[in-house]
Amino acid sequence: MLYILIMTIPMLFFGSIQGYAQPKECPVLSELEKTSIKDKKEVIEALNTLIPKTYGKLDDFPDIYTKWDVVTAKPFPKTVGNKDEEDYFGMAKTFCGKEIAEKSWLVRLDFPKAPGANLAQGQIFLAKSKEKGWFVWFRYH
């Protein structure tokens, strides 16, 4: 049920912006580096570059994404058993396949400067390229 809500509610609010929630393109499996929960500190550090690139600035709220708290940062396989997080793993597998999802991370964010619930939460899917390092391959919110 949560998965259905996760997939449909944003379409109602953001339908005119992106049409539907799906990555523009999936990562190439052979280009991905294998990572583990031991890489969490590295992921957290990479967010300093990735979040500004991914979220940018909103004209009405230019400082909204300048501060964030990490709610979750873990490889997708580590989300199994946590219903709120495991649904995102299902999304990643549906979008780009099991192998890509298993080499990717879920990062859930809270933006304390946001004026409302829709802008205050963020979920991004990350992977690590063998050549270029960490990158966001999907932004849900």
Side-chain angles (χ1 to χ4, degrees):
M1 181 65 161
L2 179 61
Y3 179 76
I4 292 169
L5 289 173
I6 288 171
M7 293 302 291
T8 57
I9 289 175
M11 286 186 217
L12 296 173
F13 292 104
F14 300 109
S16 62
I17 295 173
Q18 66 185 41
Y20 54 91
Q22 192 155 335
K24 291 179 183 173
E25 62 183 58
C26 292
V28 176
L29 183 60
S30 64
E31 295 175 4
L32 297 182
E33 190 171 309
K34 184 176 179 179
T35 62
S36 74
I37 194 67
K38 294 177 183 177
D39 296 306
K40 184 174 181 174
K41 183 177 179 184
E42 188 179 318
V43 169
I44 300 296
E45 289 173 7
L47 293 176
N48 291 320
T49 303
L50 297 173
I51 290 174
K53 278 188 204 175
T54 302
Y55 286 90
K57 290 185 179 185
L58 297 176
D59 291 338
D60 294 339
F61 306 102
D63 295 330
I64 192 171
Y65 298 123
T66 58
K67 180 171 175 16
W68 61 85
D69 298 312
V70 176
V71 177
T72 298
K74 61 177 76 166
F76 272 119
K78 294 286 185 188
T79 66
V80 174
N82 180 323
K83 187 62 179 153
D84 292 337
E85 296 173 354
E86 192 172 14
D87 288 338
Y88 294 108
F89 188 23
M91 288 173 61
K93 289 189 279 190
T94 298
F95 291 155
C96 295
K98 184 179 178 188
E99 290 96 353
I100 298 289
E102 288 178 343
K103 286 193 170 188
S104 297
W105 284 61
L106 169 65
V107 176
R108 294 173 55 213
L109 303 162
D110 179 59
F111 296 102
K113 293 184 177 185
N118 278 344
L119 296 175
Q121 298 176 11
Q123 300 87 25
I124 53 179
F125 299 0
L126 308 179
K128 187 173 184 183
S129 164
K130 293 175 184 175
E131 300 285 322
K132 299 176 185 174
W134 293 100
F135 66 98
V136 174
W137 63 264
F138 180 65
R139 172 186 158 188
Y140 188 58
H141 279 123

